């Protein structure tokens, strides 16, 4: 017997395997806690990207790059504005992926990097360089559940984070930048 996950209507459903497949309880697949883990949808992801860039333009920020990942780390929406440097795509995704991988906003990762630089260096190595421990990677929550993450790059880290938070909240979701 093992554990099996499958994707259903942008929902990760986990269950225990028996000889006959995923056990069902009352006709619904259950996770370990008895709840489904929802992911951010494509429409919300696109809204977040558009609003993050709109926020940057209103505030006179330089060209920005925005990446939205679902809870499984898959890229749902992305845009690099004209004039944004080529490395910004990897930075934005690294901020978002770091937040997802550790379950905290990248602001928290930045403070951990200051307090425990060897540990964070090891995490960066383990991720193949795909973790960027500076503000601008913000978890997206629906209730208490993490449904995705947004990474923004192009300006100072605090301004990047400001764009992500404003866009997530505009989409009616909860932003968690870390403490």
């Amino acid at each position: 017997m093992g554990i099996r996950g499958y994707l259903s209507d942008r929902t990760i459903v986990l269950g225990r395997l028996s000889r006959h497949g995923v056990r069902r309880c009352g006709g619904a697949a259950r996770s370990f806690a008895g709840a489904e883990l929802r992911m951010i949808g494509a429409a919300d992801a696109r809204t977040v990207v558009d609003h993050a860039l709109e926020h940057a333009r209103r505030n006179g920020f330089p060209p920005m790059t925005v990446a939205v990942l679902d809870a499984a780390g898959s890229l749902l929406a992305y845009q690099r504005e004209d004039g944004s440097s080529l490395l910004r795509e990897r930075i934005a995704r690294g901020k978002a992926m770091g937040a997802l991988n550790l379950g905290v906003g990248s602001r928290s990762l930045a403070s951990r990097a200051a307090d425990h630089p060897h540990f964070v260096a090891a995490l960066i190595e383990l991720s193949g360089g795909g973790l960027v421990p500076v503000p601008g990677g913000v978890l997206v929550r629906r209730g208490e559940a993490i449904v995705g993450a947004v990474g923004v790059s192009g300006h100072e880290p605090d301004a990047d984070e400001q764009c992500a938070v404003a866009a997530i909240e505009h989409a009616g979701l909860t932003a968690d930048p870390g403490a």
Side-chain angles (χ1 to χ4, degrees):
M1 315 307 158
I3 297 172
R4 177 180 184 167
Y6 63 92
L7 195 58
S8 168
D9 187 33
R10 287 190 302 270
T11 301
I12 299 173
V13 181
L14 300 173
R16 288 211 175 270
L17 285 180
S18 67
R19 286 190 346 226
H20 307 291
V22 176
R23 261 190 241 150
R24 298 199 174 261
C25 178
R30 293 182 356 168
S31 74
F32 299 111
E36 296 176 348
L37 305 173
R38 299 259 174 223
M39 289 200 275
I40 188 171
D44 284 339
R46 188 75 244 158
T47 297
V48 168
V49 168
D50 292 343
H51 192 74
L53 296 175
E54 180 183 313
H55 182 86
R57 296 292 57 81
R58 266 196 326 269
N59 288 283
F61 295 167
M64 304 294 279
T65 299
V66 182
V68 180
L69 308 180
D70 66 19
S74 296
L75 184 65
L76 284 183
Y78 163 82
Q79 187 165 338
R80 182 179 66 84
E81 290 184 305
D82 292 344
S84 184
S85 67
L86 298 178
L87 197 53
R88 295 292 181 183
E89 182 267 338
R90 289 179 56 196
I91 295 168
R93 285 183 77 170
K95 289 178 179 183
M97 188 59 83
L100 278 177
N101 281 334
L102 294 172
V104 296
S106 64
R107 178 169 293 281
S108 293
L109 298 178
S111 79
R112 287 184 188 178
D115 294 340
H116 306 285
H118 293 96
F119 176 69
V120 173
L123 293 175
I124 293 169
E125 179 65 28
L126 286 170
S127 72
L131 184 148
V132 180
V134 296
V138 179
L139 292 173
V140 180
R141 293 185 183 271
R142 185 174 287 125
E144 291 296 314
I146 296 170
V147 297
V150 176
V152 179
S153 182
H155 198 21
E156 297 295 322
D158 288 341
D160 293 346
E161 180 180 275
Q162 182 184 46
C163 289
V165 168
I168 292 165
E169 290 174 352
H170 179 80
L173 299 162
T174 302
D176 181 359

